[in-house]
Amino acid sequence: MSAQPADPNSPTPAAAHVMKPGWLTVNVFNRAVAWMTRRGISVWGSRVLAVRGRKSGEWRRTPVNLLTVDGVRYLVAPRGHVQWTHNMRAAGGGQLILGKHVQDFTAVEVADDDKPALLRAYLKRWKAEVGVFFGGVGPDSSDDELRAVAPKHPVFLVTTTGPTTPAA
């Protein structure tokens, strides 16, 4: 799969597409997963993503699902072009945190035409959690259907840049 370098100044055709999570997701599910992940318990690949804010330079944290396909790791934004995706484009990487272990990484955005297999794998694993954000497209959808929603869901190829270190 080819990847495009993250360009913080490039316009995103689906930048206006952001799906807001519901109250239950924000106040119960995300908090529970983040709490367990901070304590070193991964829930189906969960990590806490830390990425520097593109304006403030401050570390911003959010729970994410780390997708692994054929030994390669990806971050998928099921809710669309949200703050962490904008920050990722600007920063070009960040940290994945699981409990006391921190893994630095670089990120390269994946081209829309290369996303169908990745979105399919993501939906196979987490459709129950995130399927509502894909407008009826699921793991059994055709490549054309997945390609049609691809611009709405940023995907980043994650490459680790050093050993996992204990958090400070």
Side-chain angles (χ1 to χ4, degrees):
M1 291 187 192
S2 64
Q4 303 167 348
D7 180 357
N9 298 318
S10 68
T12 55
H17 174 78
V18 175
M19 296 291 296
K20 299 285 185 188
W23 183 92
L24 187 65
T25 298
V26 170
N27 293 294
V28 178
F29 186 75
N30 279 0
R31 287 183 182 181
V33 170
W35 183 87
M36 289 188 288
T37 303
R38 283 192 305 268
R39 280 148 186 82
I41 303 167
S42 178
V43 180
W44 283 64
S46 66
R47 300 290 188 278
V48 173
L49 168 67
V51 64
R52 291 212 182 258
R54 64 193 177 282
K55 296 175 185 172
S56 69
E58 301 283 327
W59 285 103
R60 304 293 182 199
R61 295 173 190 257
T62 190
V64 294
N65 294 322
L66 185 62
L67 174 68
T68 302
V69 176
D70 297 329
V72 180
R73 301 187 316 165
Y74 300 90
L75 289 173
V76 177
R79 292 180 183 93
H81 296 267
V82 293
Q83 292 301 316
W84 76 258
T85 64
H86 298 298
N87 291 338
M88 184 71 70
R89 287 185 190 106
Q95 298 177 328
L96 291 169
I97 303 166
L98 180 60
K100 295 181 180 182
H101 301 283
V102 177
Q103 179 70 69
D104 292 327
F105 70 92
T106 59
V108 178
E109 194 159 3
V110 174
D112 289 342
D113 284 342
D114 294 330
K115 290 180 187 177
L118 300 172
L119 293 176
R120 179 174 285 109
Y122 191 83
L123 287 165
K124 275 184 183 177
R125 183 148 185 140
W126 291 291
K127 184 179 184 212
E129 178 185 338
V130 301
V132 67
F133 303 116
F134 284 83
V137 174
D140 298 326
S141 297
S142 70
D143 282 356
D144 287 339
E145 290 170 313
L146 289 162
R147 197 171 287 109
V149 300
K152 297 177 182 178
H153 303 282
V155 176
F156 295 90
L157 169 70
V158 172
T159 304
T160 56
T161 58
T164 302
T165 57

